[in-house]
C-alpha cells in the first residue's frame, strides 16, 4: 500500500516508521519545512525513533510538504496537533487547515483516518463536511474513520504492534477499511460502533489518569499537613493485588495530552448544558501542584535560614516526564518561572533539554550545578541521573518524584 501520514511529530513519525517497516510505501507530510528536510537527511527529531531506525527504510519513507504527493495514497492518516487556545478551548486550526489541504487532493477510493485526540463529534461534525464539500461521499466514494493514538513516549514495554488499536468509522464499510489498515501494523484492532465512541474512549483513558493523579497529588498535600510519608502510604496500598491501581504524586501534570484533553471534553459537555465537575476539579488540583512545590522549596530554605531571593536553586529535570526531552506544559517550567520571579538564582540540569530560551537558561553539568546549589529540587526523574550522588553533594534536596525514598539522608525532603 501507499500510505500518507499528515503531521510527522511524536505520533506521526513512529506510525510512519511502523507502516514502512511492515513493507508499505509511506509519504510523510509535514507543514514544517525543517522537519521535512531533517527526514530527507535521514535525521530523526523524535527520541523514540533513532536515526538507525530510519536508515534501513530508505525510499519506503519519503518526507514532503506538498499535499499533491498524497494523491497516490490509498490511505491518509492525520496526526496534527490539537492544542488549547488562549481561552483554554479546543484549537482545531491545525486540524481544519490539514482537512482543507487534504480536501483539495482527495480522490475516490481513499481512506482518511484521524488520530489526533479530540472531543467526540470532531470527525463527523468538523472533518466530514470539509471532505464531502469536494462532492465525494463518505462510505461510498471515500472512507472516513477515527482511531486514537495511544503512544506513550519513552515507553518500551508496549509498542505500536502490541498496543491494541481502536477504530470507529462513519459507516461500517469505513470501519472495516480502517481495521484492515491497522491490522498491517497492530496485533489487535477493536472496531467500535461510531467515531464518537472511539473519540470519547481516548479522552476517558487520559481523564482517568488525570483524575487519579489529582487524587494522589491531593493526598500528598494532606500527608504534608499530617506528617505522614505519602510514598510509604502508596507503596503499602499498592501491595493489594486487586481493587487498587497505583498512581504516583508529582510536581504537576505536563505533556500534550493530560493537561489538555479534559478541556476538550468539558467544551463538548458545555454545549450540551452539562458541567463535568469531577474532570475540571482534577485539572484544578493538578494545575495547583507546581505552586505547592514552590511553597515546599520556600519552606525548606526558610528552615535553613535562607530566603528564596538570592538562593541558588538547581532544578533537576525540565521535561514533563523522565527519559524524554518534551517540555510541553512541563510543571518544571512553572516552578522555574515562579522561583525566578521570587529572585532565586535558578539553574537546571537536563541532558534531554539543552536550553530553556523562555527562561534565559541552558542546562548545566550535574556536578557543576550541585557544587554551587543551596538546594536541589528533583522535578523530573530522568533514569540517567545518580540521585544518591545528588543527595550526597547538595546541602538540601527536595524530591518531588519519590526517587530517593529508599535513601536515609537528613538533607532530603520528599513531596
Ligand atoms: N505526543 C503524544 O504522546 C500523544 C499521544 C497520543 C495522542 N497524541 C495526539 O496526537 C496528535 C499529534 O500530537 P503530536 O505529539 O504528534 O504533535 P507534534 O506537534 O509532535 O506533531 C504534529 C505535527 O503536525 C505538523 N502539522 C501541523 N499542522 C499541519 C498541517 N496543516 N499539515 C501538515 N502538518 C501539520 C506539525 O508541524 C508537527 O510536526 C495530537 O492530537 C495529540 O493530542 C499525542
Amino acid at each position: 500500500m501507499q500510505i500518507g501520514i499528515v503531521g510527522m511529530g511524536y505520533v506521526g513519525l513512529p506510525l510512519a516508521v511502523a507502516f514502512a517497516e511492515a513493507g508499505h510505501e509511506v509519504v510523510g507530510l509535514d507543514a514544517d519545512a525543517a522537519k521535512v528536510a531533517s527526514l530527507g537527511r535521514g535525521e530523526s527529531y523524535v527520541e523514540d525513533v533513532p536515526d538507525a531506525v530510519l536508515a534501513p527504510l530508505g525510499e519506503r519513507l519519503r518526507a514532503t510538504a506538498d499535499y499533491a504527493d498524497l494523491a497516490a495514497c490509498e490511505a491518509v492518516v492525520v496526526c496534527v496537533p490539537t492544542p488549547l487556545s488562549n481561552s483554554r478551548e479546543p484549537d482545531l486550526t491545525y486540524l481544519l487547515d490539514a482537512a482543507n489541504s487534504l480536501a483539495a487532493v482527495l480522490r475516490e477510493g481513499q481512506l482518511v483516518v484521524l488520530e489526533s485526540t479530540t472531543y467526540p463529534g470532531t470527525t463527523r461534525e468538523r472533518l466530514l463536511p470539509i471532505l464531502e464539500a469536494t462532492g465525494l461521499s463518505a462510505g461510498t466514494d471515500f472512507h472516513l474513520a477515527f482511531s486514537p493514538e495511544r503512544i506513550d513516549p519513552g515507553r518500551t514495554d508496549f509498542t505500536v504492534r502490541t498496543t491494541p488499536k481502536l477504530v470507529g468509522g462513519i459507516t461500517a464499510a469505513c470501519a472495516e477499511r480502517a481495521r484492515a489498515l491497522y491490522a498491517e501494523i497492530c496485533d489487535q484492532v477493536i472496531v467500535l460502533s461510531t467515531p464518537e465512541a472511539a473519540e470519547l474512549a481516548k479522552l476517558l483513558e487520559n481523564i482517568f489518569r488525570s483524575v487519579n493523579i489529582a487524587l494522589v497529588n491531593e493526598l500528598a498535600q494532606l500527608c504534608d499537613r499530617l506528617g505522614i510519608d505519602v510514598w510509604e502510604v502508596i507503596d503499602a496500598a499498592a501491595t493489594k493485588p486487586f481493587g487498587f491501581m497505583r498512581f504516583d504524586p508529582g510536581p504537576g501534570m505536563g505533556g500534550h495530552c493530560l493537561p489538555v484533553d479534559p478541556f476538550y471534553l468539558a467544551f463538548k459537555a458545555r454545549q450540551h448544558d452539562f458541567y463535568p465537575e469531577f474532570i475540571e476539579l482534577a485539572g484544578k488540583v493538578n494545575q495547583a501542584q507546581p505552586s505547592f512545590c514552590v511553597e515546599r522549596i520556600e519552606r525548606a530554605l526558610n528552615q535553613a535560614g535562607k530566603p528564596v531571593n538570592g538562593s541558588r536553586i538547581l532544578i533537576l529535570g525540565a521535561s514533563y516526564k523522565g527519559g524524554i526531552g518534551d517540555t510541553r506544559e512541563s510543571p518544571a517550567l512553572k516552578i522555574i518561572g515562579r522561583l525566578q520571579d521570587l529572585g532565586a538564582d535558578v539553574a537546571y540540569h537536563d541532558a534531554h533539554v539543552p536550553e530553556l530560551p523562555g527562561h534565559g537558561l541552558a542546562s548545566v553539568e550535574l556536578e557543576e550545578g550541585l557544587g554551587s546549589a543551596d538546594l536541589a529540587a528533583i522535578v523530573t526523574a530522568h533514569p540517567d541521573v545518580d540521585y544518591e550522588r545528588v543527595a550526597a553533594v547538595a546541602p538540601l534536596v527536595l524530591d518531588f518524584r519519590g526517587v530517593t525514598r529508599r535513601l536515609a539522608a537528613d538533607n532530603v525532603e520528599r513531596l
Side-chain angles (χ1 to χ4, degrees), residues 324-343:
I324 64 164
D326 190 347
T327 57
R328 287 179 292 184
E329 306 271 340
S330 173
L333 306 185
K334 286 191 191 162
I335 292 173
I336 291 172
R338 180 74 189 129
L339 290 172
Q340 286 180 326
D341 288 347
L342 291 171

Side-chain angles (χ1 to χ4, degrees), residues 13-292:
L13 181 56
L15 191 67
V17 167
F19 279 118
E21 284 180 339
H24 301 287
E25 301 282 321
V26 180
V27 178
L29 187 146
D30 204 287
D32 182 344
K35 283 187 179 162
V36 173
S38 175
L39 291 175
R41 293 190 302 272
E43 289 168 17
S44 171
Y45 39 81
V46 170
E47 281 163 312
D48 286 349
V49 180
D51 292 353
V53 167
L54 292 182
L57 302 179
E59 280 300 298
R60 258 182 294 144
L61 173 52
R62 199 164 51 82
T64 181
D66 186 357
Y67 275 81
D69 291 340
L70 298 176
C73 293
E74 286 145 72
V76 177
V77 183
V78 180
C79 314
V80 295
T82 43
L84 294 173
S85 66
N86 289 339
S87 53
R88 313 290 286 168
E89 299 219 321
D91 173 5
L92 294 184
T93 45
Y94 298 100
L95 177 55
L96 300 180
D97 282 353
N100 282 310
S101 306
L102 186 56
V105 297
L106 187 72
R107 62 161 181 81
E108 222 165 294
Q110 280 183 322
L111 164 69
V112 177
V113 184
L114 177 62
E115 286 217 7
S116 304
T117 307
T118 186
Y119 58 80
T122 308
T123 307
R124 195 185 303 274
E125 294 161 14
R126 308 304 302 268
L127 193 50
L128 180 67
I130 294 174
L131 299 181
E132 287 199 328
T134 57
L136 299 172
S137 291
T140 48
D141 303 325
F142 73 99
H143 293 102
L144 178 61
F146 180 82
S147 178
E149 178 50 58
R150 288 170 150 177
I151 201 164
D152 182 10
R155 182 178 280 277
T156 50
D157 51 352
F158 286 96
T159 62
V160 171
R161 178 157 290 285
T162 59
T163 307
K165 193 87 173 112
L166 303 179
V167 298
I170 292 288
T171 66
C174 294
E176 173 46 30
R177 278 212 50 200
R179 189 206 57 74
L181 173 71
Y182 288 111
E184 294 291 319
I185 54 166
C186 301
D187 290 340
Q188 194 188 357
V189 184
I190 298 145
V191 177
L192 304 186
S193 62
T194 59
E196 288 78 7
E199 289 162 332
L200 187 52
K202 170 69 190 179
L203 291 182
L204 170 62
E205 290 165 16
N206 281 353
I207 290 166
F208 171 80
R209 292 190 52 217
S210 168
V211 167
N212 280 287
I213 292 169
L215 178 67
V216 286
N217 278 339
E218 196 175 59
L219 188 75
Q221 295 203 20
L222 174 64
C223 281
D224 177 49
R225 298 269 176 101
L226 298 178
I228 297 172
D229 181 346
V230 70
W231 301 99
E232 187 183 0
V233 173
I234 292 171
D235 284 346
T239 60
K240 187 177 179 186
F242 51 87
F244 182 82
M245 185 181 283
R246 184 189 182 106
F247 284 86
D248 287 336
M253 275 186 338
H256 185 335
C257 298
L258 293 197
V260 171
D261 295 355
F263 289 96
Y264 267 73
L265 188 54
F267 165 82
K268 187 68 184 177
R270 276 198 306 276
Q271 289 181 341
H272 292 261
D273 220 2
F274 187 91
Y275 297 86
E277 293 179 39
F278 218 79
I279 297 170
E280 293 196 355
L281 179 62
K284 217 162 104 181
V285 171
N286 289 328
Q287 294 285 338
Q289 198 69 358
S291 303
F292 175 65

